[in-house]
Amino acid sequence: MSEKLNADQSHVCIVTGANSGIGKAVAQLLASRGAQTVLVDVVIDDATITSAELSAPGQASMAIAVDVSNEQQVVDMIEKVRAEIGIPSMLCHAAAIQQFGRTENSALEDWRRLIDINLTGTYIINKAVLPSLLETTGSLVNVASLAGNIGLPYVAAYSASKGGVIALTKALAKEYSDRDLRINAIAPGAVDTPMYATAPPDDINPKALGVIPRSAREASSPQDIASLIAYLLCDAPLGMTGSVVSIDGASS
């Protein structure tokens, strides 16, 4: 990838889940290459600090608290970005939650909350940003998961939500293939983020755990994932749309 984004285009990139982990690493990488960045998360204490560090003369950055499952908050955020920074040309959607546990012990409200944030939230922000991306001939990357590709034990709701993200990404890519948009997803295995530190259930089933390839349990760094996302957002050929790129140590 080129060290700088195209000098003749002022890229405005919205990054969700940017308070930590993959989202934070993506914002830092894109800002280092000239993009103006919008760091979005439901909690933005660290994102506010990161945004201040990324701001430079002629290169804006802002942090905005948004619940991606709240459509009005998402719409208001995009309107604010358009008014104060410019028309978004890129979206990296990394916001998600995860919950470990045996399915028979899970509550329906937990399923609904996870689907609402991980899958409905993806639909909401993709839908809301599409008019801007159509104006700028932009690109977006949704962060799915190995769990969405193969299904993983103790995270049934998470696996279902990320499988939905994959299907949604492919559907949107086909729908907008005549509009020169690039709409892709990535499917990471384990990544060294706060989510990865979530403890599995105490009564873990060794047989179930054994279906997860060891490579999927060896975490990539957020910077590794950010490099792949930046390629898809900035440098991938126009024909690369509707792709789901795995970075999981050959686990899928």
Side-chain angles (χ1 to χ4, degrees):
M1 182 190 303
S2 58
E3 187 172 338
K4 292 286 185 180
L5 300 170
N6 294 335
D8 61 346
Q9 186 172 4
S10 180
H11 288 273
V12 177
C13 184
I14 297 173
V15 184
T16 71
N19 201 52
S20 63
I22 293 171
K24 179 178 179 179
V26 169
Q28 290 172 324
L29 179 56
L30 292 176
S32 75
R33 294 176 177 174
Q36 304 190 78
T37 50
V38 181
L39 286 71
V40 172
D41 214 319
V42 68
V43 176
I44 58 168
D45 47 359
D46 288 343
T48 300
I49 296 170
T50 302
S51 177
E53 295 170 347
L54 300 182
S55 296
Q59 186 178 5
S61 181
M62 66 167 61
I64 307 177
V66 175
D67 175 356
V68 295
S69 67
N70 185 310
E71 185 174 24
Q72 191 59 56
Q73 288 187 22
V74 171
V75 169
D76 290 347
M77 177 270 293
I78 292 175
E79 290 180 353
K80 179 179 177 68
V81 172
R82 290 176 64 100
E84 298 185 17
I85 296 183
I87 303 173
S89 56
M90 295 184 288
L91 168 68
C92 167
H93 179 53
I97 61 171
Q98 186 177 21
Q99 182 173 328
F100 281 98
R102 288 189 177 272
T103 300
E104 78 268 21
N105 298 327
S106 63
L108 181 57
E109 54 264 33
D110 293 332
W111 165 277
R112 286 175 171 157
R113 176 171 174 266
L114 197 147
I115 296 295
D116 205 29
I117 293 172
N118 292 6
L119 181 53
T120 306
T122 302
Y123 168 79
I124 287 172
I125 197 162
N126 280 209
K127 175 179 179 287
V129 81
L130 275 168
S132 296
L133 299 186
L134 288 167
E135 288 184 57
T136 57
T137 315
S139 60
L140 73 82
V141 173
N142 291 319
V143 178
S145 172
L146 170 66
N149 270 332
I150 68 172
L152 294 177
Y154 306 110
V155 287
Y158 181 78
S159 297
S161 72
K162 291 300 187 176
V165 169
I166 289 171
L168 174 63
T169 302
K170 287 178 172 291
L172 291 176
K174 289 180 173 67
E175 183 175 340
Y176 291 94
S177 61
D178 62 338
R179 302 297 296 274
D180 290 342
L181 297 186
R182 286 182 290 109
I183 300 174
N184 295 295
I186 66 164
V191 185
D192 187 12
T193 67
M195 184 183 293
Y196 181 61
T198 305
D202 293 332
D203 62 340
I204 195 164
N205 176 1
K207 291 182 179 180
L209 188 63
V211 306
I212 307 174
R214 180 180 176 186
S215 56
R217 303 194 297 270
E218 296 175 346
S220 301
S221 72
Q223 290 72 30
D224 289 339
I225 308 302
S227 294
L228 175 58
I229 292 171
Y231 170 76
L232 292 172
L233 286 173
C234 306
D235 293 340
L238 184 59
M240 191 171 187
T241 188
S243 298
V244 180
V245 183
S246 296
I247 177 167
D248 61 16
S251 297
S252 55

